[in-house]
Amino acid sequence: MEINFGYVAISMKLKEASPNRTVTLKNLEKVDRSIWYSKVESLARQNISNIIRILRYNKAYGIKLYRFTSKIIPLATHPEFEEWDWKNILKIDFEELGRVVKETGIRVSTHPDHFVLLNSPKKEVLDNSIKDLDYHCTMFELMGLGTEYKIVLHIGGMYKNKEDSIKRFYEGFSQLSDRIKSRIILENDDKLYTMEDVLSICRTLNIPMVLDIHHDICNPSSVKVKELIVDVFNTWKGEIFPPKIHLSSPKSPKEIRSHHDYINPDEFVAFLEEIIGLTGDFDVMIEAKMKDMALIKLMEDMKNYDFIKKIGDASIEV
DNA sequence: ACCTGTCAAGTCTGG
DNA sequence: CCAGACTTGACAGGT
């Protein structure tokens, strides 16, 4: 069984390579309006070219997964920038980025921020969420990447009634265009919607589920991971890429929900021991403050466990 | 060179 | 009902 690893957004090894450079409206308001567009355009270009550097670096280090930041284009979905035609202005840049994605063979994804909520009772929040999803989807399309490149979402808020909120999630989802629907995959969260909840929704909608094993510890399902992992991975049937899980460790016993700088190898190995023999290949997205450094350290730490057959730069065989 | 406050967003809690 | 916490990284401005 082969497992490939990746990390989120920022490389701690590469210097001057932020994929996240931004500007706020408050600061733009201090300068003349005539330079607003050139300012955000310049930052977006820097972000895209830094992402290209990151992808090439990932390839060189054998890192096969990478999550884009949601802030590639500053203020892309801000009402003040509705007139700004970033799709055409940055077309060439995204085409180049897409070529590098294909050339490096890295499985890229996005994870919209926590204000993207398909089950909000507020129409405005839903409308803004759809705009944000359109932005993410459009970037993939400009890169020329097929629907196997996914957008990971949570179910959303609870709003005092889980049943109603899940119903509203279905309603929100049904309002999405097919091009967006075909990229959405869902993840269990650390407070509200458990592995079981999300699995049930994914089965109903016939879309893949990302299992976050740390979230399942914070917000446990009534059934153990071992009992459901096969069903979770079955939601990926027919997909081009293998199932994906998220891996992180708690910052401390008191701050269990916060991410640690690194990954606790004991916890991950315990998970592997539980599911060994039940699944085929899968991918692991590491969510740790030290990003790629955490990944590299985990690979190093894994060398102390005998049952792992082979350890690569960012992959293992069990 | 470092530190603090601000920004952007929506939900939820506590008073 | 409203203020603050939560989350995350970048950045502005002050020391």
Side-chain angles (χ1 to χ4, degrees):
Chain A
M1 180 171 66
E2 187 180 310
I3 305 170
N4 291 314
F5 294 83
Y7 65 98
V8 176
I10 297 160
S11 166
M12 303 300 280
K13 280 220 165 189
L14 286 181
K15 297 300 163 200
E16 308 283 317
S18 170
N20 249 2
R21 294 211 54 197
T22 194
V23 66
T24 60
L25 199 67
K26 279 266 161 24
N27 282 322
L28 279 181
E29 277 164 355
K30 293 173 192 166
V31 301
D32 196 278
R33 232 186 152 85
S34 63
I35 61 165
W36 283 18
Y37 289 175
S38 63
K39 182 73 189 165
V40 285
E41 186 182 324
S42 156
L43 289 169
R45 287 232 161 83
Q46 289 176 57
N47 290 338
I48 293 170
S49 79
N50 282 336
I51 294 167
I52 289 173
R53 279 182 61 203
I54 290 170
L55 289 174
R56 295 201 194 286
Y57 153 83
N58 290 347
K59 169 78 175 173
Y61 273 71
I63 297 168
K64 299 187 182 76
L65 271 79
Y66 174 72
R67 182 194 298 164
F68 291 132
T69 150
S70 297
K71 299 181 180 69
I72 296 175
I73 307 176
L75 305 167
T77 56
H78 198 284
E80 284 281 348
F81 282 77
E82 257 174 19
E83 304 286 302
W84 184 48
D85 189 13
W86 61 269
K87 292 172 204 178
N88 275 306
I89 291 160
L90 298 167
K91 195 169 180 279
I92 307 284
D93 305 79
F94 276 111
E95 281 168 5
E96 170 67 8
L97 177 56
R99 274 196 294 277
V100 176
V101 170
K102 288 176 200 163
E103 169 200 314
T104 54
I106 292 169
R107 179 185 189 181
V108 293
S109 61
T110 71
H111 195 359
D113 292 311
H114 66 285
F115 45 84
V116 173
L117 297 158
L118 290 179
N119 73 348
S120 173
K122 298 178 191 162
K123 187 179 182 300
E124 198 191 323
V125 174
L126 175 61
D127 290 347
N128 288 336
S129 299
I130 294 174
K131 269 184 211 158
D132 202 87
L133 290 172
D134 185 81
Y135 152 73
H136 282 94
C137 188
T138 301
M139 286 194 290
F140 278 133
E141 288 164 355
L142 290 173
M143 285 182 243
L145 301 176
T147 55
E148 66 270 33
Y149 295 88
K150 302 294 189 185
I151 301 169
V152 182
L153 269 193
H154 293 293
I155 306 304
M158 184 76 98
Y159 314 98
K160 299 191 173 125
N161 185 325
K162 199 171 196 173
E163 208 181 318
D164 288 354
S165 297
I166 291 175
K167 212 177 136 205
R168 234 180 6 261
F169 178 83
Y170 285 123
E171 285 162 13
F173 187 85
S174 74
Q175 289 192 37
L176 300 173
S177 57
D178 288 344
R179 53 184 268 280
I180 296 175
K181 275 182 190 162
S182 62
R183 292 194 195 260
I184 303 277
I185 60 178
L186 302 174
E187 177 195 350
N188 58 313
D189 67 74
D190 56 358
K191 279 201 299 220
L192 309 171
Y193 297 94
T194 65
M195 169 173 62
E196 259 177 309
D197 297 330
V198 178
L199 176 60
S200 159
I201 295 167
C202 283
R203 281 169 144 180
T204 304
L205 294 173
N206 196 25
I207 59 177
M209 171 173 173
V210 172
L211 171 64
D212 188 310
I213 57 182
H214 176 210
H215 290 170
D216 186 63
I217 290 163
C218 303
N219 176 29
S221 190
S222 63
V223 185
K224 283 187 174 158
V225 167
K226 183 167 70 172
E227 310 297 331
L228 280 185
I229 189 98
V230 175
D231 291 332
V232 170
F233 281 13
N234 275 340
T235 63
W236 289 86
K237 270 202 176 136
E239 288 290 332
I240 289 171
F241 290 122
K244 180 162 69 171
I245 68 165
H246 288 173
L247 176 65
S248 50
S249 294
K251 188 175 181 177
S252 68
K254 277 196 170 177
E255 301 159 285
I256 194 158
R257 289 176 43 233
S258 300
H259 289 165
H260 199 277
D261 286 355
Y262 294 97
I263 303 295
N264 181 335
D266 287 340
E267 288 169 10
F268 182 56
V269 168
F271 166 78
L272 287 179
E273 283 173 337
E274 246 195 45
I275 62 142
I276 197 149
L278 297 174
T279 78
D281 296 345
F282 61 95
D283 287 342
V284 177
M285 180 61 75
I286 283 182
E287 296 176 327
K289 298 258 183 215
M290 290 304 281
K291 312 287 182 186
D292 51 333
M293 301 283 269
L295 196 173
I296 291 161
K297 185 172 185 299
L298 177 64
M299 292 302 115
E300 199 54 41
D301 290 345
M302 297 283 261
K303 289 178 182 167
N304 300 320
Y305 300 86
D306 321 325
F307 83 103
I308 295 164
K309 280 188 224 151
K310 194 176 144 194
I311 299 180
D313 296 325
S315 68
I316 58 171
E317 277 175 41
V318 184

